Amino acid sequence: NAGVTQTPKFRILKIGQSMTLQCTQDMNHNYMYWYRQDPGMGLKLIYYSVGAGITDKGEVPNGYNVSRSTTEDFPLRLELAAPSQTSVYFCASSEDGRPQHFGDGTRLSIL
Amino acid sequence: QKEVEQNSGPLSVPEGAIASLNCTYSDRGSQSFFWYRQYSGKSPELIMFIYSNGDKEDGRFTAQLNKASQYVSLLIRDSQPSDSATYLCAAFNNAGNMLTFGGGTRLMVKP
């Protein structure tokens, strides 16, 4: 049982490039979340989904997009990378709306 | 803006002592509260949650909630060096379907 799997673990992007952070869970959870965590700070919610085909904005959605075509996958898209998006990104899932299972994170640097 | 506040620390306690971690929240609509432990460079790990006023105990951990004062705390008895980590408090509002995190308190348990 893999839980929540995030790829890649590390990435360096140039300003203006785009990329997709992948997140997959094998627990059949309806709820999935994307958070970012800046150094020494708590987690900020970017987007979340309550089920396949349904997504909604969190606290800090600007510069990001998501999709939820299946229960298992919840990719996060950065279209035009900016230095302010340098952060650690965590994907999480839950069965009851309260995040309990986190992936290992993706460390993203934009230079 | 809905906020969850924590003292960033570090909170330093000797091994075997009780560590007391505190958290306040501004959203009176918050209905459940969560404590996560995060080791440096790792993802958050859920250790306790509490819904009702009063105390909830789980092993060496006790969560305390006072909704009138909008105050949540986590007590760690018989603190061990392995408890050294950052502890994140989070408040969940069912209506908004969002978990709001505090900035975390760094705990250091000295042998």
Side-chain angles (χ1 to χ4, degrees):
Chain A
N1 189 340
V4 178
T5 302
Q6 291 184 237
T7 57
K9 294 189 184 303
F10 304 94
R11 185 73 184 267
I12 298 174
L13 280 183
K14 294 182 179 179
I15 295 171
Q17 286 185 320
S18 62
M19 77 163 293
T20 299
L21 282 65
Q22 301 290 346
C23 177
T24 299
Q25 53 95 6
D26 62 0
M27 296 170 283
N28 202 34
H29 287 167
N30 282 324
Y31 296 85
M32 295 188 74
Y33 309 83
W34 274 107
Y35 292 92
R36 60 176 288 173
Q37 186 176 33
D38 297 330
M41 305 292 284
L43 282 74
K44 298 288 188 184
L45 181 65
I46 305 171
Y47 272 94
Y48 68 98
S49 169
V50 301
I54 306 169
T55 63
D56 210 344
K57 296 178 180 179
E59 301 172 76
V60 290
N62 291 343
Y64 306 94
N65 276 301
V66 293
S67 59
R68 186 89 183 275
S69 56
T70 66
T71 299
E72 294 78 19
D73 300 310
F74 190 40
L76 177 71
R77 178 86 177 161
L78 282 73
E79 291 293 350
L80 289 171
S84 61
Q85 293 177 305
T86 293
S87 191
V88 180
Y89 292 83
F90 288 105
C91 179
S93 74
S94 81
E95 56 185 348
D96 63 0
R98 289 167 277 229
Q100 296 188 14
H101 304 270
F102 282 81
D104 289 338
T106 294
R107 283 152 182 78
L108 180 63
S109 293
I110 298 164
L111 306 176
Chain B
Q1 183 169 345
K2 300 169 184 176
E3 294 183 342
V4 176
E5 301 286 343
Q6 295 180 258
N7 188 320
S8 61
L11 172 66
S12 182
V13 301
E15 183 175 357
I18 296 175
S20 177
L21 304 161
N22 304 314
C23 170
T24 59
Y25 61 95
S26 63
D27 179 15
R28 286 197 173 272
S30 297
Q31 288 138 344
S32 50
F33 303 87
F34 298 78
W35 284 99
Y36 294 82
R37 178 176 60 201
Q38 187 175 26
Y39 292 113
S40 181
K42 301 295 185 182
S43 59
E45 172 193 8
L46 180 66
I47 55 173
M48 288 284 292
F49 58 88
I50 186 166
Y51 308 144
S52 305
N53 277 327
D55 295 0
K56 178 182 178 182
E57 188 174 318
D58 183 1
R60 294 187 297 113
F61 298 97
T62 298
Q64 299 175 318
L65 173 60
N66 184 325
K67 289 187 177 180
S69 301
Q70 295 177 248
Y71 179 89
V72 191
S73 65
L74 179 70
L75 302 178
I76 306 175
R77 289 181 299 281
D78 189 23
S79 296
Q80 301 297 309
S82 58
D83 294 326
S84 298
T86 296
Y87 290 79
L88 301 168
C89 172
F92 187 80
N93 184 315
N94 283 16
N97 208 21
M98 251 189 250
L99 196 64
T100 302
F101 282 84
T105 298
R106 184 177 163 217
L107 173 66
M108 297 173 59
V109 181
K110 296 186 175 181

